[in-house]
Amino acid sequence: MRIVVCIKQVPDSAEVRINPETNTLIRDGVPTIINPYDLHALEAGLQIRETAGGKVTVLTMGPPQAETALREAISMGADDAVLLTDRAFAGSDTWATAYTLSKAIEQIGADVILCGKQAIDGDTAQVGPEMAEFMDMPHISYIRKIVDVAADKLIVQRLMDDGYDVVETSLPVLLTVVKELNVPRLPSLKGKMAAKKAEIKKMSAADLKADEKNLGLNGSPTQVKNIFAPESKTDRTMLEGTPAEKIDTLVKELVGLKCI
Amino acid sequence: MYIKVKRELCTGCEACVQSCPYDAIVIKGAKAEITEMCQLCRACMSVCPEGAISEVKEATDEKETAQGRGVWVFAEQREGRIAGVSLELLGAGRGLAGKLGTELSAVLFGGTGHDALELIRWGADRVFHCDEASLQAFNDEPYAALLSKLITEQKPEIVLTGATPIGRSFFPRVAAKLRAGLTADCTSLEIDPETKNLLQVRPAFGGNIMATIFCPHARPQMATVRPRVMKRGTYDEARTGEIVKVSAKGIASRTKVVETVKEVSELAINLQDANIIVAGGRGMGSEKGFQLLLDLAEVLGASLAASRAAVDEGWIPYRHQVGQTGKTVSPKLYIACGISGAVQHLVGMQSSDIIIAINKNPDAPIFNVATYGIVGDANEIVPMLTKKIKEVKG
Ligand SMILES: Cc1cc2nc3c(=O)[nH]c(=O)nc-3n(C[C@H](O)[C@H](O)[C@H](O)COP(=O)(O)OP(=O)(O)OC[C@H]3O[C@@H](n4cnc5c(N)ncnc54)[C@H](O)[C@@H]3O)c2cc1C
Ligand SMILES: Nc1ncnc2c1ncn2[C@@H]1O[C@H](COP(=O)(O)O)[C@@H](O)[C@H]1O
């Protein structure tokens, strides 16, 4: 089984803020991490390898420092890693990102491709399904359980709003995973050694034989017009008095607002 | 396009260096210089006090805008039930169509003729309806293939759907195929009065920032829209419109839904659709604390939600979790009990109309988003509140 896991290096969004005066990101000291959902995708890949045999390749598109994320993935047990890095990829939206990653996967070769549900910087959840379309293969989103893996068939549970669907698919297939799927393992000592020595394969736009007009900003149908800070509530009322008084006031307000 | 610093204007103040999310600006010889790490996000352009940073367009940047007419809403149906967000989008879609002087159409896969008629009563001028059995259950490939085919034939300029597990899963395939821009999980949609482009506002970075996205050239402009942020239009039983039958002939799927399992306790029927939500966090202290919340939820007819900490404690199952890694809700009323208000929780509930926060720590961040705040012990306040509401309701 050839398994490719797409991982993204992201700023820890819990710590990203916007400067309300300049409307720019405050980034000082915000650490970068592997997108948390992608760790679950990697764990799923490693577990599939354990039952079905094969190889797990981790793939990322990003600036040269994204190599750190790939080494971390190797320390968890990935066999090898590919970094797509090129000035021409800058400014990619999900369309161009998915195009670029799918070009690389076509060269690497894959039976199962795993992605996180979404990346916590953009929160779009679009790159996985878009890649599947580019590679003309089925995809299933929000996988919460892998029920069965065979050479030509996979059965999974897909999380929905009101429960889950059991879905069967042919291979090759792309899956995006949610956190309930598994608990990602920690790096092993052996893995850490391997990560130090591992050679990370780097690929540029030329290596991908990609169509220039589909890359980076030029290949991106969407553009960011501006960013701004979310509104904060100014009309807050802190209720005063004894607990009973507070509740009296609250219930009166709620009745007034027709909530009760 | 690339970003350039005009050296003669640069004073070396480093404001841009601070602002760059990608570490792509260095100071060399007391002047700023953009390195190859630049991702063209333009963050630096607005901070430069001297206006020394600008973008340089290249010949290849100019593209023609594809044409299109009409606003479309994909109406999501699951087991014959139309999703609430689809009706909200018909409301929003009417407004957009009005501003563009064009028509509003709905697309329905599965469901019945009656469902199609209901979409007209909720505001659609036309419904493209495929009632074939193969499309009753959701599968990404056939939904994407048929919608792409319809869009290619009819050329709408805007196509919207709900940011639900279904919409967020198959719309990207359609966008990929059509080379269309797709904006995820929007919370506001406007038409730019000058360019007539669709301006799409959405949260990013876990809700810490908001971004306005637009598609200057590609058509259609596609978006998934967060449930419960747009208002439904008016329902008019007398409204008439056209129903266009669509065939799914020749459309195949490599995935198959073998079984659909419902997994919701009665009180959490559909958090996303709930009008009132009672939510608890670690501050409830135990499963017993959650029993108090259940009592309150019962008198209010509310659904029960929780923070991740409470789910991790095992007091309540994961499907009740609200936040970045759980569900996004925006009820009329959200009562947060013993929840600190970490940003990962806030992103899932801060668009609720009215938020009541009960927390014993007056500095808890949850109070920053609250409409009403009560500083106190939730285990004491909640039963009192339940009792009082019972009295009022009689
Ligand atoms: C990648 C990532 C994703 C995450 N996703 C989510 C998510 O989807 N949803 C989510 O909720 N969290 C999420 N979290 C976790 C989040 O950061 C917080 O840890 C979590 O929301 C805290 O839950 P809490 O407020 O219940 O607990 P705590 O932070 O422990 O807060 C408990 C609160 O209860 C108050 N309290 C204590 N006792 C009482 C009492 N008797 N009466 C009244 N008040 C009392 C305390 O003052 C405190 O404010 C995520 C974290 C990460 C890193
Ligand atoms: N630049 C990237 N490199 C590798 N994988 C990515 C990249 N961007 C997105 N992905 C994958 O696509 C998933 C969804 O990302 P997004 O659509 O950005 O929310 C992530 O969880 C990753 O698995």
Side-chain angles (χ1 to χ4, degrees):
Chain A
M1 193 78 74
R2 295 168 304 170
I3 303 154
V4 173
V5 183
C6 298
I7 66 172
K8 185 176 187 189
Q9 192 176 47
V10 293
D12 189 344
S13 73
E15 302 185 29
V16 173
R17 291 282 180 287
I18 204 162
N19 177 337
E21 263 139 50
T22 58
N23 268 342
T24 51
L25 292 179
I26 304 172
R27 186 197 49 98
D28 282 349
V30 174
T32 53
I33 52 173
I34 296 183
N35 180 36
Y37 293 99
D38 301 352
L39 293 175
H40 296 267
L42 176 57
E43 177 63 34
L46 297 173
Q47 288 184 15
I48 293 175
R49 183 185 67 189
E50 276 152 19
T51 53
K55 193 173 123 182
V56 175
T57 303
V58 278
L59 170 66
T60 196
M61 175 183 103
Q65 324 81 298
E67 193 177 318
T68 330
L70 293 172
R71 289 195 190 276
E72 195 180 328
I74 291 175
S75 73
M76 287 171 65
D79 297 289
D80 56 14
V82 180
L83 171 63
L84 309 181
T85 190
D86 194 315
R87 198 62 190 93
F89 302 150
S92 295
D93 74 351
T94 64
W95 196 97
T97 302
Y99 171 82
T100 310
L101 290 170
S102 63
K103 277 284 164 197
I105 294 173
E106 276 166 7
Q107 289 197 20
I108 297 166
D111 303 299
V112 176
I113 298 149
L114 290 150
C115 288
K117 167 188 137 181
Q118 65 190 47
I120 62 164
D121 52 355
D123 293 328
T124 81
Q126 290 176 182
V127 167
E130 286 181 333
M131 276 195 311
E133 182 65 32
F134 284 123
M135 294 183 288
D136 187 24
M137 64 171 71
H139 85 273
I140 308 172
S141 304
Y142 309 116
I143 305 301
R144 56 163 238 177
K145 189 171 181 186
I146 298 178
V147 183
D148 194 26
V149 186
D152 57 346
K153 192 172 97 173
L154 216 117
I155 300 175
V156 299
Q157 291 180 1
R158 156 174 81 196
L159 190 68
M160 298 300 268
D161 275 346
D162 54 359
Y164 63 91
D165 290 341
V166 182
V167 188
E168 192 183 297
T169 177
S170 62
L171 297 182
V173 67
L174 185 145
L175 307 175
T176 82
V177 310
V178 298
K179 291 204 162 170
E180 287 167 291
L181 178 63
N182 54 39
V183 181
R185 66 193 66 185
L186 295 171
S188 66
L189 200 60
K190 194 165 142 251
K192 283 185 188 160
M193 305 278 283
K196 260 198 210 119
K197 282 186 284 174
E199 202 170 316
I200 309 284
K201 184 169 175 192
K202 296 200 177 72
M203 292 177 93
S204 65
D207 297 326
L208 293 179
K209 299 191 188 65
D211 189 339
E212 286 277 343
K213 72 170 192 302
N214 291 341
L215 297 178
L217 195 74
N218 268 330
S220 299
T222 62
Q223 277 185 27
V224 179
K225 193 174 161 69
N226 61 335
I227 60 171
F228 54 96
E231 279 172 40
S232 58
K233 284 230 162 113
T234 46
D235 53 349
R236 177 190 55 177
T237 316
M238 292 303 279
L239 302 170
E240 305 292 338
T242 64
E245 286 164 359
K246 288 177 184 164
I247 282 169
D248 278 352
T249 324
L250 180 64
V251 171
K252 263 194 214 108
E253 292 275 346
L254 291 181
V255 170
L257 291 162
K258 299 203 164 51
C259 282
I260 300 176
Chain B
M1 186 196 109
Y2 59 96
I3 308 283
K4 193 181 161 203
V5 180
K6 290 202 190 86
R7 290 183 66 88
E8 63 279 15
L9 294 179
C10 177
T11 61
C13 74
E14 300 194 12
C16 54
V17 178
Q18 306 290 331
S19 78
C20 176
Y22 299 101
D23 260 337
I25 309 181
V26 291
I27 300 289
K28 267 201 193 147
K31 305 274 179 192
E33 203 175 291
I34 314 266
T35 71
E36 60 178 23
M37 309 282 294
C38 174
Q39 301 287 308
L40 307 173
C41 76
R42 299 181 178 81
C44 53
M45 286 168 51
S46 53
V47 292
C48 177
E50 312 301 327
I53 308 179
S54 56
E55 58 183 78
V56 182
K57 290 237 194 286
E58 291 162 293
T60 50
D61 291 346
E62 291 311 319
K63 284 177 219 152
E64 259 179 59
T65 302
Q67 289 303 310
R69 268 194 81 69
V71 176
W72 281 20
V73 170
F74 179 84
E76 174 179 325
Q77 152 298 120
R78 195 158 150 80
E79 302 194 303
R81 202 173 147 264
I82 305 281
V85 64
S86 305
L87 307 180
E88 292 155 22
L89 286 177
L90 287 173
R94 269 258 66 95
L96 298 174
K99 284 190 192 135
L100 291 166
T102 186
E103 290 186 321
L104 175 66
S105 302
V107 180
L108 176 66
F109 294 166
T112 61
H114 173 76
D115 296 328
L117 198 59
E118 285 287 291
L119 296 173
I120 289 173
R121 291 168 174 167
W122 279 106
D125 298 311
R126 185 183 303 102
V127 181
F128 294 97
H129 184 204
C130 177
D131 60 2
E132 286 168 37
S134 60
L135 292 190
Q136 285 296 345
F138 167 69
N139 278 294
D140 291 276
E141 276 187 285
Y143 271 47
L146 187 56
L147 184 61
S148 308
K149 184 166 167 259
L150 283 172
I151 292 174
T152 309
E153 284 166 12
Q154 306 284 334
K155 303 197 171 40
E157 58 197 299
I158 294 174
V159 184
L160 310 172
T161 196
T164 61
I166 290 179
R168 292 190 78 170
S169 185
F170 94 97
F171 253 48
R173 284 195 89 107
V174 178
K177 194 181 202 102
L178 302 177
R179 213 190 193 299
L182 172 59
T183 307
D185 203 19
C186 298
T187 53
S188 149
L189 301 172
E190 294 290 339
I191 301 290
D192 183 329
E194 257 165 60
T195 61
K196 302 288 177 203
N197 282 326
L198 181 65
L199 301 181
Q200 307 155 97
V201 175
R202 66 177 305 263
F205 287 94
N208 283 326
I209 70 161
M210 305 296 289
T212 310
I213 313 281
F214 74 121
C215 304
H217 307 291
R219 292 292 180 274
Q221 307 160 90
M222 299 179 64
T224 63
V225 180
R226 187 174 282 198
R228 300 194 65 87
V229 296
M230 311 265 163
K231 295 262 169 298
R232 286 185 189 189
T234 39
Y235 181 83
D236 177 0
E237 189 129 62
R239 242 187 103 84
T240 56
E242 183 190 3
I243 297 180
V244 182
K245 280 263 183 263
V246 175
S247 156
K249 225 201 213 135
I251 285 183
S253 180
R254 285 169 283 192
T255 62
K256 189 173 95 199
V257 177
V258 188
E259 194 188 351
T260 293
V261 183
K262 288 261 186 280
E263 232 197 5
V264 268
S265 68
E266 284 209 11
L267 273 163
I269 317 158
N270 208 334
L271 271 183
Q272 271 106 328
D273 281 341
N275 249 321
I276 304 182
I277 290 177
V278 174
R282 193 180 349 242
M284 294 314 296
S286 64
E287 247 177 297
K288 270 212 217 96
F290 267 78
Q291 189 54 48
L292 301 175
L293 297 180
L294 205 59
D295 296 341
L296 176 60
E298 222 150 352
V299 297
L300 284 168
S303 295
L304 200 58
S307 72
R308 171 153 152 200
V311 172
D312 286 349
E313 294 282 354
W315 300 335
I316 181 164
Y318 167 77
R319 60 178 172 273
H320 295 265
Q321 183 173 318
V322 163
Q324 183 183 308
T325 40
K327 292 184 173 153
T328 300
V329 298
S330 48
K332 246 181 99 176
L333 178 62
Y334 190 94
I335 309 180
C337 311
I339 293 178
S340 60
V343 53
Q344 295 91 349
H345 186 79
L346 298 186
V347 296
M349 45 66 74
Q350 63 193 0
S351 57
S352 307
D353 289 352
I354 299 168
I355 296 170
I356 298 173
I358 305 173
N359 195 305
K360 67 177 186 192
N361 172 8
D363 297 323
I366 189 78
F367 288 124
N368 296 335
V369 301
T371 326
Y372 298 103
I374 295 186
V375 177
D377 183 343
N379 284 295
E380 177 192 351
I381 304 276
V382 170
M384 290 172 72
L385 184 58
T386 309
K387 190 159 158 266
K388 184 79 197 173
I389 293 171
K390 259 193 202 145
E391 281 169 28
V392 172
K393 282 196 155 179

